[in-house]
Structure formats: structure tokens, C-alpha cells
mmCIF file of all heavy atoms in Angstrom:
data_model
loop_
_atom_site.group_PDB
_atom_site.id
_atom_site.type_symbol
_atom_site.label_atom_id
_atom_site.label_comp_id
_atom_site.label_asym_id
_atom_site.label_seq_id
_atom_site.Cartn_x
_atom_site.Cartn_y
_atom_site.Cartn_z
ATOM 1 N N LYS A 6 22.037 7.599 33.871
ATOM 2 C CA LYS A 6 22.534 8.512 32.860
ATOM 3 C C LYS A 6 23.317 7.734 31.808
ATOM 4 O O LYS A 6 23.951 6.725 32.107
ATOM 5 C CB LYS A 6 23.428 9.575 33.507
ATOM 6 C CG LYS A 6 23.855 10.695 32.584
ATOM 7 C CD LYS A 6 24.687 11.721 33.345
ATOM 8 C CE LYS A 6 25.140 12.855 32.447
ATOM 9 N NZ LYS A 6 25.962 13.844 33.199
ATOM 10 N N GLN A 7 23.264 8.213 30.575
ATOM 11 C CA GLN A 7 24.001 7.578 29.498
ATOM 12 C C GLN A 7 25.496 7.813 29.648
ATOM 13 O O GLN A 7 25.925 8.818 30.214
ATOM 14 C CB GLN A 7 23.534 8.107 28.140
ATOM 15 C CG GLN A 7 22.158 7.640 27.715
ATOM 16 C CD GLN A 7 21.829 8.076 26.307
ATOM 17 O OE1 GLN A 7 21.797 9.265 26.000
ATOM 18 N NE2 GLN A 7 21.593 7.105 25.432
ATOM 19 N N ARG A 8 26.252 6.883 29.136
ATOM 20 C CA ARG A 8 27.688 7.035 29.141
ATOM 21 C C ARG A 8 28.084 8.231 28.275
ATOM 22 O O ARG A 8 27.584 8.394 27.161
ATOM 23 C CB ARG A 8 28.346 5.755 28.624
ATOM 24 C CG ARG A 8 29.845 5.702 28.796
ATOM 25 C CD ARG A 8 30.386 4.313 28.454
ATOM 26 N NE ARG A 8 29.825 3.283 29.319
ATOM 27 C CZ ARG A 8 30.170 2.004 29.269
ATOM 28 N NH1 ARG A 8 31.085 1.588 28.400
ATOM 29 N NH2 ARG A 8 29.597 1.130 30.092
ATOM 30 N N GLU A 9 28.980 9.053 28.788
ATOM 31 C CA GLU A 9 29.375 10.256 28.078
ATOM 32 C C GLU A 9 30.883 10.306 27.866
ATOM 33 O O GLU A 9 31.664 9.788 28.661
ATOM 34 C CB GLU A 9 28.923 11.512 28.833
ATOM 35 C CG GLU A 9 29.573 11.696 30.190
ATOM 36 C CD GLU A 9 29.103 12.955 30.895
ATOM 37 O OE1 GLU A 9 28.094 13.546 30.459
ATOM 38 O OE2 GLU A 9 29.738 13.344 31.887
ATOM 39 N N LEU A 10 31.261 10.948 26.800
ATOM 40 C CA LEU A 10 32.665 11.114 26.480
ATOM 41 C C LEU A 10 33.331 12.057 27.464
ATOM 42 O O LEU A 10 32.762 13.082 27.844
ATOM 43 C CB LEU A 10 32.818 11.647 25.051
ATOM 44 C CG LEU A 10 34.238 11.884 24.532
ATOM 45 C CD1 LEU A 10 34.304 11.577 23.044
ATOM 46 C CD2 LEU A 10 34.666 13.332 24.770
ATOM 47 N N VAL A 11 34.541 11.704 27.862
ATOM 48 C CA VAL A 11 35.363 12.573 28.696
ATOM 49 C C VAL A 11 36.499 13.153 27.866
ATOM 50 O O VAL A 11 36.665 14.366 27.773
ATOM 51 C CB VAL A 11 35.925 11.832 29.921
ATOM 52 C CG1 VAL A 11 36.841 12.750 30.729
ATOM 53 C CG2 VAL A 11 34.796 11.303 30.792
ATOM 54 N N ALA A 12 37.286 12.280 27.264
ATOM 55 C CA ALA A 12 38.414 12.717 26.451
ATOM 56 C C ALA A 12 38.862 11.590 25.539
ATOM 57 O O ALA A 12 38.738 10.419 25.884
ATOM 58 C CB ALA A 12 39.581 13.168 27.333
ATOM 59 N N THR A 13 39.390 11.949 24.388
ATOM 60 C CA THR A 13 39.940 10.970 23.460
ATOM 61 C C THR A 13 41.250 11.485 22.887
ATOM 62 O O THR A 13 41.501 12.693 22.858
ATOM 63 C CB THR A 13 38.984 10.658 22.293
ATOM 64 O OG1 THR A 13 38.713 11.855 21.558
ATOM 65 C CG2 THR A 13 37.685 10.058 22.794
ATOM 66 N N THR A 14 42.056 10.561 22.420
ATOM 67 C CA THR A 14 43.292 10.908 21.733
ATOM 68 C C THR A 14 43.505 9.932 20.583
ATOM 69 O O THR A 14 43.285 8.728 20.724
ATOM 70 C CB THR A 14 44.496 10.908 22.693
ATOM 71 O OG1 THR A 14 45.680 11.294 21.977
ATOM 72 C CG2 THR A 14 44.716 9.529 23.313
ATOM 73 N N THR A 15 43.913 10.451 19.442
ATOM 74 C CA THR A 15 44.113 9.632 18.258
ATOM 75 C C THR A 15 45.553 9.170 18.160
ATOM 76 O O THR A 15 46.432 9.621 18.895
ATOM 77 C CB THR A 15 43.747 10.401 16.985
ATOM 78 O OG1 THR A 15 44.709 11.441 16.767
ATOM 79 C CG2 THR A 15 42.362 11.020 17.096
ATOM 80 N N SER A 16 45.788 8.259 17.218
ATOM 81 C CA SER A 16 47.143 7.780 16.985
ATOM 82 C C SER A 16 48.053 8.888 16.473
ATOM 83 O O SER A 16 49.273 8.782 16.571
ATOM 84 C CB SER A 16 47.128 6.615 15.995
ATOM 85 O OG SER A 16 46.563 6.999 14.752
ATOM 86 N N GLY A 17 47.458 9.942 15.921
ATOM 87 C CA GLY A 17 48.226 11.079 15.452
ATOM 88 C C GLY A 17 48.538 12.093 16.531
ATOM 89 O O GLY A 17 49.265 13.062 16.287
ATOM 90 N N GLY A 18 47.975 11.896 17.721
ATOM 91 C CA GLY A 18 48.283 12.765 18.844
ATOM 92 C C GLY A 18 47.270 13.854 19.130
ATOM 93 O O GLY A 18 47.417 14.585 20.117
ATOM 94 N N SER A 19 46.249 13.991 18.300
ATOM 95 C CA SER A 19 45.243 15.004 18.563
ATOM 96 C C SER A 19 44.361 14.580 19.736
ATOM 97 O O SER A 19 44.171 13.390 19.987
ATOM 98 C CB SER A 19 44.389 15.264 17.329
ATOM 99 O OG SER A 19 43.647 14.109 16.976
ATOM 100 N N THR A 20 43.828 15.556 20.452
ATOM 101 C CA THR A 20 43.002 15.279 21.625
ATOM 102 C C THR A 20 41.676 16.004 21.536
ATOM 103 O O THR A 20 41.545 17.024 20.859
ATOM 104 C CB THR A 20 43.714 15.691 22.921
ATOM 105 O OG1 THR A 20 44.044 17.086 22.862
ATOM 106 C CG2 THR A 20 44.989 14.887 23.109
ATOM 107 N N ASN A 21 40.702 15.467 22.247
ATOM 108 C CA ASN A 21 39.378 16.058 22.299
ATOM 109 C C ASN A 21 38.844 15.905 23.715
ATOM 110 O O ASN A 21 38.933 14.817 24.293
ATOM 111 C CB ASN A 21 38.447 15.384 21.296
ATOM 112 C CG ASN A 21 37.060 15.984 21.292
ATOM 113 O OD1 ASN A 21 36.910 17.195 21.176
ATOM 114 N ND2 ASN A 21 36.045 15.140 21.405
ATOM 115 N N TYR A 22 38.286 16.983 24.270
ATOM 116 C CA TYR A 22 37.772 16.968 25.630
ATOM 117 C C TYR A 22 36.334 17.435 25.671
ATOM 118 O O TYR A 22 35.938 18.346 24.944
ATOM 119 C CB TYR A 22 38.595 17.883 26.535
ATOM 120 C CG TYR A 22 40.033 17.479 26.707
ATOM 121 C CD1 TYR A 22 41.017 17.977 25.866
ATOM 122 C CD2 TYR A 22 40.406 16.598 27.717
ATOM 123 C CE1 TYR A 22 42.338 17.607 26.020
ATOM 124 C CE2 TYR A 22 41.726 16.229 27.885
ATOM 125 C CZ TYR A 22 42.689 16.734 27.032
ATOM 126 O OH TYR A 22 44.006 16.367 27.198
ATOM 127 N N ALA A 23 35.570 16.817 26.544
ATOM 128 C CA ALA A 23 34.232 17.293 26.809
ATOM 129 C C ALA A 23 34.314 18.626 27.552
ATOM 130 O O ALA A 23 35.228 18.845 28.357
ATOM 131 C CB ALA A 23 33.456 16.279 27.642
ATOM 132 N N ASP A 24 33.367 19.506 27.292
ATOM 133 C CA ASP A 24 33.396 20.837 27.892
ATOM 134 C C ASP A 24 33.524 20.841 29.417
ATOM 135 O O ASP A 24 34.279 21.655 29.963
ATOM 136 C CB ASP A 24 32.158 21.630 27.473
ATOM 137 C CG ASP A 24 32.213 22.082 26.032
ATOM 138 O OD1 ASP A 24 33.311 22.121 25.451
ATOM 139 O OD2 ASP A 24 31.140 22.405 25.485
ATOM 140 N N PRO A 25 32.817 19.963 30.143
ATOM 141 C CA PRO A 25 32.910 20.022 31.612
ATOM 142 C C PRO A 25 34.294 19.737 32.186
ATOM 143 O O PRO A 25 34.544 20.081 33.340
ATOM 144 C CB PRO A 25 31.912 18.950 32.069
ATOM 145 C CG PRO A 25 30.955 18.820 30.931
ATOM 146 C CD PRO A 25 31.797 19.001 29.706
ATOM 147 N N VAL A 26 35.174 19.111 31.407
ATOM 148 C CA VAL A 26 36.480 18.751 31.940
ATOM 149 C C VAL A 26 37.620 19.544 31.317
ATOM 150 O O VAL A 26 38.776 19.384 31.741
ATOM 151 C CB VAL A 26 36.760 17.241 31.778
ATOM 152 C CG1 VAL A 26 35.612 16.424 32.358
ATOM 153 C CG2 VAL A 26 36.998 16.875 30.317
ATOM 154 N N LYS A 27 37.328 20.398 30.370
ATOM 155 C CA LYS A 27 38.373 21.183 29.724
ATOM 156 C C LYS A 27 39.093 22.061 30.737
ATOM 157 O O LYS A 27 38.464 22.730 31.549
ATOM 158 C CB LYS A 27 37.784 22.048 28.612
ATOM 159 C CG LYS A 27 37.399 21.279 27.372
ATOM 160 C CD LYS A 27 36.868 22.207 26.287
ATOM 161 C CE LYS A 27 36.523 21.431 25.028
ATOM 162 N NZ LYS A 27 35.951 22.303 23.983
ATOM 163 N N GLY A 28 40.408 22.034 30.674
ATOM 164 C CA GLY A 28 41.214 22.811 31.594
ATOM 165 C C GLY A 28 41.512 22.117 32.896
ATOM 166 O O GLY A 28 42.351 22.597 33.670
ATOM 167 N N ARG A 29 40.854 21.005 33.162
ATOM 168 C CA ARG A 29 41.061 20.269 34.407
ATOM 169 C C ARG A 29 41.626 18.870 34.188
ATOM 170 O O ARG A 29 42.374 18.372 35.021
ATOM 171 C CB ARG A 29 39.752 20.159 35.189
ATOM 172 C CG ARG A 29 39.147 21.502 35.585
ATOM 173 C CD ARG A 29 37.961 21.327 36.527
ATOM 174 N NE ARG A 29 36.865 20.592 35.898
ATOM 175 C CZ ARG A 29 36.403 19.416 36.328
ATOM 176 N NH1 ARG A 29 36.943 18.835 37.399
ATOM 177 N NH2 ARG A 29 35.396 18.822 35.703
ATOM 178 N N PHE A 30 41.248 18.237 33.091
ATOM 179 C CA PHE A 30 41.700 16.880 32.790
ATOM 180 C C PHE A 30 42.672 16.901 31.623
ATOM 181 O O PHE A 30 42.548 17.727 30.704
ATOM 182 C CB PHE A 30 40.524 15.977 32.412
ATOM 183 C CG PHE A 30 39.556 15.676 33.527
ATOM 184 C CD1 PHE A 30 39.645 16.299 34.762
ATOM 185 C CD2 PHE A 30 38.542 14.748 33.319
ATOM 186 C CE1 PHE A 30 38.746 16.021 35.780
ATOM 187 C CE2 PHE A 30 37.634 14.454 34.327
ATOM 188 C CZ PHE A 30 37.735 15.091 35.556
ATOM 189 N N THR A 31 43.614 15.970 31.626
ATOM 190 C CA THR A 31 44.553 15.819 30.536
ATOM 191 C C THR A 31 44.673 14.349 30.162
ATOM 192 O O THR A 31 44.926 13.513 31.020
ATOM 193 C CB THR A 31 45.947 16.355 30.903
ATOM 194 O OG1 THR A 31 45.861 17.741 31.242
ATOM 195 C CG2 THR A 31 46.906 16.194 29.725
ATOM 196 N N ILE A 32 44.491 14.059 28.885
ATOM 197 C CA ILE A 32 44.651 12.696 28.399
ATOM 198 C C ILE A 32 46.013 12.573 27.726
ATOM 199 O O ILE A 32 46.455 13.478 27.022
ATOM 200 C CB ILE A 32 43.513 12.307 27.430
ATOM 201 C CG1 ILE A 32 43.588 10.812 27.087
ATOM 202 C CG2 ILE A 32 43.529 13.162 26.165
ATOM 203 C CD1 ILE A 32 42.352 10.293 26.354
ATOM 204 N N SER A 33 46.676 11.460 27.956
ATOM 205 C CA SER A 33 47.968 11.210 27.344
ATOM 206 C C SER A 33 48.095 9.726 27.034
ATOM 207 O O SER A 33 47.314 8.904 27.512
ATOM 208 C CB SER A 33 49.119 11.676 28.250
ATOM 209 O OG SER A 33 49.104 10.987 29.488
ATOM 210 N N ARG A 34 49.099 9.401 26.244
ATOM 211 C CA ARG A 34 49.233 8.032 25.769
ATOM 212 C C ARG A 34 50.692 7.621 25.709
ATOM 213 O O ARG A 34 51.541 8.383 25.258
ATOM 214 C CB ARG A 34 48.578 7.931 24.381
ATOM 215 C CG ARG A 34 48.556 6.574 23.739
ATOM 216 C CD ARG A 34 47.693 6.636 22.487
ATOM 217 N NE ARG A 34 47.823 5.459 21.658
ATOM 218 C CZ ARG A 34 47.173 5.252 20.525
ATOM 219 N NH1 ARG A 34 46.318 6.172 20.079
ATOM 220 N NH2 ARG A 34 47.356 4.137 19.831
ATOM 221 N N ASP A 35 50.965 6.397 26.155
ATOM 222 C CA ASP A 35 52.285 5.799 26.064
ATOM 223 C C ASP A 35 52.193 4.709 25.005
ATOM 224 O O ASP A 35 51.662 3.632 25.264
ATOM 225 C CB ASP A 35 52.723 5.226 27.410
ATOM 226 C CG ASP A 35 54.154 4.724 27.394
ATOM 227 O OD1 ASP A 35 54.624 4.256 26.351
ATOM 228 O OD2 ASP A 35 54.813 4.801 28.450
ATOM 229 N N TYR A 36 52.698 4.996 23.814
ATOM 230 C CA TYR A 36 52.555 4.076 22.702
ATOM 231 C C TYR A 36 53.302 2.763 22.940
ATOM 232 O O TYR A 36 52.830 1.698 22.558
ATOM 233 C CB TYR A 36 53.046 4.727 21.408
ATOM 234 C CG TYR A 36 52.180 5.860 20.934
ATOM 235 C CD1 TYR A 36 52.408 7.167 21.357
ATOM 236 C CD2 TYR A 36 51.117 5.625 20.070
ATOM 237 C CE1 TYR A 36 51.603 8.199 20.931
ATOM 238 C CE2 TYR A 36 50.309 6.658 19.641
ATOM 239 C CZ TYR A 36 50.556 7.947 20.073
ATOM 240 O OH TYR A 36 49.743 8.972 19.648
ATOM 241 N N ALA A 37 54.457 2.842 23.568
ATOM 242 C CA ALA A 37 55.257 1.651 23.813
ATOM 243 C C ALA A 37 54.570 0.688 24.767
ATOM 244 O O ALA A 37 54.751 -0.526 24.680
ATOM 245 C CB ALA A 37 56.634 2.037 24.355
ATOM 246 N N LYS A 38 53.783 1.217 25.688
ATOM 247 C CA LYS A 38 53.120 0.396 26.694
ATOM 248 C C LYS A 38 51.647 0.142 26.384
ATOM 249 O O LYS A 38 50.958 -0.501 27.178
ATOM 250 C CB LYS A 38 53.236 1.051 28.065
ATOM 251 C CG LYS A 38 54.660 1.149 28.586
ATOM 252 C CD LYS A 38 54.692 1.780 29.970
ATOM 253 C CE LYS A 38 56.108 1.842 30.511
ATOM 254 N NZ LYS A 38 56.154 2.457 31.860
ATOM 255 N N ASN A 39 51.166 0.651 25.253
ATOM 256 C CA ASN A 39 49.746 0.525 24.897
ATOM 257 C C ASN A 39 48.854 0.992 26.045
ATOM 258 O O ASN A 39 47.866 0.342 26.404
ATOM 259 C CB ASN A 39 49.398 -0.914 24.519
ATOM 260 C CG ASN A 39 49.934 -1.314 23.162
ATOM 261 O OD1 ASN A 39 50.225 -0.462 22.320
ATOM 262 N ND2 ASN A 39 50.068 -2.608 22.931
ATOM 263 N N THR A 40 49.213 2.117 26.599
ATOM 264 C CA THR A 40 48.536 2.630 27.783
ATOM 265 C C THR A 40 48.068 4.064 27.567
ATOM 266 O O THR A 40 48.783 4.876 26.973
ATOM 267 C CB THR A 40 49.463 2.571 29.004
ATOM 268 O OG1 THR A 40 49.848 1.210 29.240
ATOM 269 C CG2 THR A 40 48.775 3.113 30.244
ATOM 270 N N VAL A 41 46.877 4.360 28.058
ATOM 271 C CA VAL A 41 46.344 5.712 28.032
ATOM 272 C C VAL A 41 46.108 6.163 29.468
ATOM 273 O O VAL A 41 45.738 5.358 30.332
ATOM 274 C CB VAL A 41 45.049 5.794 27.196
ATOM 275 C CG1 VAL A 41 43.927 4.974 27.823
ATOM 276 C CG2 VAL A 41 44.617 7.240 27.003
ATOM 277 N N TYR A 42 46.326 7.445 29.720
ATOM 278 C CA TYR A 42 46.178 8.004 31.054
ATOM 279 C C TYR A 42 45.170 9.138 31.042
ATOM 280 O O TYR A 42 44.964 9.805 30.034
ATOM 281 C CB TYR A 42 47.513 8.543 31.572
ATOM 282 C CG TYR A 42 48.634 7.537 31.569
ATOM 283 C CD1 TYR A 42 49.494 7.435 30.476
ATOM 284 C CD2 TYR A 42 48.843 6.697 32.652
ATOM 285 C CE1 TYR A 42 50.527 6.517 30.464
ATOM 286 C CE2 TYR A 42 49.870 5.778 32.652
ATOM 287 C CZ TYR A 42 50.708 5.688 31.560
ATOM 288 O OH TYR A 42 51.739 4.770 31.557
ATOM 289 N N LEU A 43 44.572 9.362 32.178
ATOM 290 C CA LEU A 43 43.715 10.520 32.376
ATOM 291 C C LEU A 43 44.119 11.170 33.688
ATOM 292 O O LEU A 43 43.845 10.633 34.762
ATOM 293 C CB LEU A 43 42.237 10.136 32.408
ATOM 294 C CG LEU A 43 41.261 11.311 32.475
ATOM 295 C CD1 LEU A 43 41.289 12.108 31.172
ATOM 296 C CD2 LEU A 43 39.841 10.819 32.764
ATOM 297 N N GLN A 44 44.787 12.307 33.586
ATOM 298 C CA GLN A 44 45.170 13.071 34.760
ATOM 299 C C GLN A 44 44.049 14.047 35.081
ATOM 300 O O GLN A 44 43.697 14.877 34.242
ATOM 301 C CB GLN A 44 46.472 13.823 34.514
ATOM 302 C CG GLN A 44 46.940 14.667 35.691
ATOM 303 C CD GLN A 44 47.312 13.838 36.892
ATOM 304 O OE1 GLN A 44 48.237 13.035 36.825
ATOM 305 N NE2 GLN A 44 46.578 14.016 37.986
ATOM 306 N N MET A 45 43.508 13.944 36.273
ATOM 307 C CA MET A 45 42.371 14.752 36.670
ATOM 308 C C MET A 45 42.760 15.659 37.832
ATOM 309 O O MET A 45 43.179 15.175 38.883
ATOM 310 C CB MET A 45 41.189 13.867 37.068
ATOM 311 C CG MET A 45 40.773 12.876 35.983
ATOM 312 S SD MET A 45 39.328 11.882 36.443
ATOM 313 C CE MET A 45 40.058 10.875 37.741
ATOM 314 N N PHE A 46 42.630 16.957 37.629
ATOM 315 C CA PHE A 46 42.879 17.955 38.652
ATOM 316 C C PHE A 46 41.589 18.689 38.989
ATOM 317 O O PHE A 46 40.634 18.674 38.225
ATOM 318 C CB PHE A 46 43.933 18.962 38.188
ATOM 319 C CG PHE A 46 45.315 18.410 38.019
ATOM 320 C CD1 PHE A 46 45.847 18.194 36.755
ATOM 321 C CD2 PHE A 46 46.095 18.116 39.119
ATOM 322 C CE1 PHE A 46 47.127 17.697 36.597
ATOM 323 C CE2 PHE A 46 47.387 17.617 38.972
ATOM 324 C CZ PHE A 46 47.892 17.408 37.704
ATOM 325 N N SER A 47 41.600 19.343 40.122
ATOM 326 C CA SER A 47 40.464 20.162 40.552
ATOM 327 C C SER A 47 39.149 19.405 40.444
ATOM 328 O O SER A 47 38.163 19.899 39.893
ATOM 329 C CB SER A 47 40.404 21.443 39.717
ATOM 330 O OG SER A 47 41.595 22.194 39.850
ATOM 331 N N LEU A 48 39.140 18.212 40.975
ATOM 332 C CA LEU A 48 37.957 17.364 40.877
ATOM 333 C C LEU A 48 36.772 17.956 41.621
ATOM 334 O O LEU A 48 36.921 18.571 42.678
ATOM 335 C CB LEU A 48 38.267 15.973 41.403
ATOM 336 C CG LEU A 48 39.074 15.097 40.438
ATOM 337 C CD1 LEU A 48 39.703 13.926 41.168
ATOM 338 C CD2 LEU A 48 38.174 14.595 39.307
ATOM 339 N N LYS A 49 35.597 17.750 41.044
ATOM 340 C CA LYS A 49 34.348 18.247 41.590
ATOM 341 C C LYS A 49 33.426 17.074 41.890
ATOM 342 O O LYS A 49 33.548 16.016 41.277
ATOM 343 C CB LYS A 49 33.665 19.187 40.592
ATOM 344 C CG LYS A 49 34.512 20.356 40.133
ATOM 345 C CD LYS A 49 33.803 21.141 39.043
ATOM 346 C CE LYS A 49 34.649 22.299 38.556
ATOM 347 N NZ LYS A 49 33.963 23.053 37.473
#
């Protein structure tokens, strides 16, 4: 299968989620640490 988008976040703080993960996954970013996180709940 081709690689598919899960979630993205811009430098301005806006976020975008793929439909299958909406409401279950949360993307966040720590600017000071140059780190991005993906919190995944209710995994299938």
C-alpha cells in the first residue's frame, strides 16, 4: 500500500487529520525541542 497521510501540523499551529483517525489521534508539537508527537487512542 502507498504511504498515506495521518496528520500534519504547521508552524502556525493549524492541524489536519486523515478521516480514519479523526477523533482518535492528536498531533502536537514542542517548538523548543523540535519534536512532534502523535497521541493515538482507541487503536484498531
Side-chain angles (χ1 to χ4, degrees):
K6 188 178 180 181
Q7 288 186 300
R8 190 171 299 183
E9 64 180 14
L10 180 146
V11 177
T13 60
T14 182
T15 69
S16 59
S19 64
T20 58
N21 181 52
Y22 297 92
D24 287 341
V26 307
K27 286 182 178 178
R29 300 188 297 118
F30 292 7
T31 301
I32 188 169
S33 61
R34 183 172 168 179
D35 186 328
Y36 292 89
K38 295 181 178 180
N39 286 339
T40 300
V41 65
Y42 304 93
L43 186 68
Q44 179 65 62
M45 304 182 291
F46 293 106
S47 301
L48 283 162
K49 304 174 181 179

